Each structure stands twice: as structure tokens, then as C-alpha cells.
Amino acid sequence: MLRTSTLWPALLLTLSAHTAFAQSTPSQAPPKLEKLEEVTEDPITVTSKQGPETKITERRDNTGKVVEATVKSGPSTYTVRPNHPVGTALPGDAMGGANRGPQWTVMEFDIGKKKKKTAEEEGAADTTTPPPAAK
């Protein structure tokens, strides 16, 4: 009985390996290929759109390191500054902190600048008559 119990697993293993090998062998005949129809449509024209121009202005200190970079892309403007870690901490340390995000410019005020005249005000100023000359 002991001989029969060790013979069955060996027989099953051999039989399953043979069926797996028989299924994995490819057939000798090449696969049948289908002919595709040639479709002629209007030719495709690709035009490149001129995207919003990006202007990058970098400000450096006396050693040549970049202190800040101002990026103007279309109507939006933002400023990027490096993250200076505290003390001798390296970037990625617990004291080094995370990355510093960009600062978006929302509104700018022109305090201290002279107000520009509009076209209507300039036209109105030209229509006034000069004062009469003294006799």
C-alpha cells in the first residue's frame, strides 16, 4: 500500500506536466492574416498655435545664487523662491521643511505713480480756448 500511495502523486505530476507542455507548444501553421481596407480621407493639416509667451526674470544675489524667479505666463504671474532650511538642516530632514510653493500675484497697485490721462480727458483739454491776450 505504501508503494501505491507514492506512485499516484508521481503519475499525476507527470501527466499534468505533459498536458501543460502539449498546450503551450504553438501550432506549425502561420496565423491567417486579414487584408485591411485602404481608407483615403482628406489630408490632415497640423497648425501650431502660438501659446502665451512665457517671460522668466531671475534675481540673483552677489554670490550668483538665484534668490527668486518671477514667471509671467499669459495673464498670470507668480514668484518662486528657494526654501532656506533652518540652521544646518538639509533638505528632506525633519527640520528641513517641505518644498516652498509659488506665490501668485493677484493684484498690483501703482501707488506713487502719476495717473495717466485717458483719451477723453485729453480731447476735452484740447477743446478749451486759451485765455485772451492782454492789451
Side-chain angles (χ1 to χ4, degrees), residues 5 24 72 74 88 100:
S5 63
S24 66
K72 182 170 174 83
T88 59
R100 187 173 185 171

Side-chain angles (χ1 to χ4, degrees), residues 57-118:
T57 307
E58 291 183 345
R59 198 178 89 200
R60 298 177 181 266
D61 62 357
N62 293 336
T63 60
K65 291 183 180 179
V66 177
V67 176
E68 72 178 18
T70 304
V71 180
K72 182 170 174 83
S73 176
S76 61
T77 303
Y78 60 94
T79 304
V80 181
R81 293 185 179 96
N83 188 15
H84 298 291
V86 179
T88 59
L90 297 173
D93 288 346
M95 296 300 290
N99 293 335
R100 187 173 185 171
Q103 296 176 340
W104 294 89
T105 304
V106 179
M107 295 185 85
E108 288 183 333
F109 298 98
D110 55 348
I111 297 176
K113 294 184 181 179
K114 291 184 178 180
K115 189 176 183 181
K116 295 182 180 178
K117 291 183 179 179
T118 61

Side-chain angles (χ1 to χ4, degrees), residues 118-131:
T118 61
E120 294 174 0
E121 291 175 355
E122 288 177 1
D126 292 340
T127 59
T128 58
T129 58

